[in-house]
Amino acid sequence: MLATAARLRERHPDAELTILGTAEGLERELVPRAGLELVTIEKLPFPRRPDGAALRFPARWRRAVAQVRALIRERRIDVVVGFGGYAAAPAYRAARLEGVPIAIHEANARPGMANVLGARWTEHVGLSYRTTRMRGTFVGMPLRAEITGLDRSALRAEARAELGLDPERPTLLVTGGSQGARSLNRAIVAGAQDIVDAGWQVLHLSGGRQTDFEPAEVDHYVAIEYLDRMHLALAAADLVVCRAGSLTVSELMAVGLPAVYVPLPYGNGEQGLNAADQVASGGALLVPDAEFTAEWVRTRLVPLLRDEGRVARMAAASAGAGVADGADRMSDLVERAAASRRQR
């Protein structure tokens, strides 16, 4: 959302952009930090069982839709652009009732409920993955400029120096996201010496909520709880072990980094689907969470790290599968949606 908003501001400096979200989401911090206005509505999960929340849902839904309709009229909104999430479904319905065009971006290979609903009311749907079973146009993932403009080779020496890494050793980046991933952390800590013995070093981003995390006491192993300048880690890395969230997969393909993906072991399996394109291209491996153990690190990951040619081929395949201009493609879609109202 923020990457698309930034590109639209570049193209249309006089445009007024209003971000709709909830007070509980990440947008509460990220949107103001990006210099954008945030308007919040009530968080409204769709009920999945017949309980009190389900009984209250219709009234809460009508209230949320009415609130967004009032916002559309007050701000004279020309187009509603949705990226899924709790605020999206009421916004799509409000736009439909107000006769305002809708543009949608679906970030996951398996579309979410809000976007499935919104896609019924617009032909302007952008998809991050060609394999997504949803009517729309492939645009890739809109990414931040610091990612799409990242020159890993030029920044590598500086990044490794700032992160306390050896400038000459190839680097394995391990990250489970801002909250961390216990299975990844345990397996990598247990196998850290084997990784180092293979000639590599480890940059381990453990996550901020792993209270039981104990870093490995091994040379050429650097543990950091949280890194807000993720582009430094990507510049330093030669291979990544991580979850397979849609944004993570798209960023790694955009910068040409091969990966070992360990999808979340719960949910509806969308993380495995997110990685499918990169895996099919030969740029990544997919490992079930239950199988990613210290033994897997020793018997499968370490042999991969020792095979320099294979890692290089995986990197080339990843770069070939990536899309770096997703923000431009999505902005084109938004402009076409806005123009459709003027043509009526």
Side-chain angles (χ1 to χ4, degrees):
M1 177 179 67
L2 293 178
T4 303
R7 190 53 48 88
L8 287 171
R9 281 200 295 189
E10 291 175 2
R11 292 184 175 192
H12 308 279
D14 296 330
E16 296 181 16
L17 304 181
T18 301
I19 306 297
L20 185 71
T22 67
E24 296 88 351
L26 285 172
E27 60 267 27
R28 179 183 60 182
E29 298 178 3
L30 298 181
V31 170
R33 191 185 304 169
L36 293 164
E37 179 189 10
L38 175 66
V39 175
T40 61
I41 60 173
E42 180 185 7
K43 183 178 178 179
L44 192 61
F46 187 81
R48 298 177 183 272
R49 59 176 64 91
D51 55 12
L55 292 174
R56 293 188 294 272
F57 180 81
R60 295 173 65 194
W61 168 259
R62 288 191 295 269
R63 185 166 59 246
V65 171
Q67 185 178 348
V68 183
R69 291 186 72 178
L71 178 69
I72 289 173
R73 291 192 294 267
E74 175 188 336
R75 303 293 180 91
R76 300 170 66 182
I77 299 297
D78 293 302
V79 60
V80 168
V81 186
F83 295 81
Y86 292 116
Y92 297 150
R93 182 58 180 163
R96 173 70 171 176
L97 293 173
E98 292 294 319
V100 172
I102 301 167
I104 293 174
H105 183 269
E106 176 51 60
N108 288 291
R110 178 169 287 162
M113 293 176 64
N115 282 350
V116 169
L117 174 67
R120 297 168 54 188
W121 301 321
T122 182
E123 63 182 18
H124 305 289
V125 178
L127 307 176
S128 281
Y129 300 101
R130 294 180 176 86
T131 54
T132 301
R133 293 185 177 180
M134 188 177 191
R135 178 178 54 82
T137 302
F138 173 73
V139 299
M141 179 73 76
L143 299 172
R144 298 166 291 161
E146 66 181 12
I147 298 298
T148 58
L150 180 62
D151 186 335
R152 292 175 51 235
S153 297
L155 188 59
R156 181 172 292 119
E158 177 186 338
R160 289 182 176 176
E162 187 156 343
L163 296 170
L165 297 166
D166 187 318
E168 301 300 327
R169 277 185 174 245
T171 302
L172 176 68
L173 170 63
V174 181
T175 174
S178 60
Q179 297 181 19
R182 186 169 281 106
S183 57
L184 271 65
N185 288 348
R186 288 176 175 172
I188 292 298
V189 167
Q193 187 64 65
D194 297 284
I195 294 169
V196 170
D197 289 345
W200 283 60
Q201 60 189 334
V202 180
L203 174 60
H204 192 167
L205 306 184
S206 63
R209 296 189 183 178
Q210 302 297 306
T211 56
D212 60 345
F213 175 74
E214 293 290 339
E217 297 182 2
V218 176
D219 290 340
H220 302 297
Y221 169 94
V222 175
I224 300 173
E225 185 176 280
Y226 178 75
L227 183 66
D228 58 2
R229 293 183 295 166
M230 194 63 185
H231 64 288
L232 291 179
L234 298 180
D238 295 281
L239 182 75
V240 184
V241 172
C242 59
R243 295 300 195 196
S246 58
L247 184 59
T248 298
V249 173
S250 297
E251 289 186 345
L252 296 189
M253 288 197 294
V255 301
L257 268 170
V260 173
Y261 291 117
V262 187
L264 282 167
Y266 48 84
N268 60 7
E270 70 272 12
Q271 286 208 349
L273 294 174
N274 290 342
D277 284 352
Q278 191 177 1
V279 172
S281 75
L285 301 177
L286 197 65
V287 186
D289 185 82
E291 295 180 19
F292 191 77
T293 62
E295 180 65 17
W296 196 95
V297 170
R298 283 189 288 267
T299 60
R300 301 290 299 278
L301 180 59
V302 167
L304 169 62
L305 299 179
R306 291 185 183 277
D307 191 339
E308 183 178 341
R310 185 182 178 193
V311 173
R313 290 192 297 273
M314 289 176 67
S318 296
V323 172
D325 62 346
D328 277 312
R329 296 187 190 196
M330 188 60 204
S331 295
D332 291 343
L333 202 66
V334 173
E335 289 170 352
R336 289 200 293 273
S340 70
R341 186 182 194 182
R342 294 191 292 270
Q343 293 168 0
R344 291 174 186 172

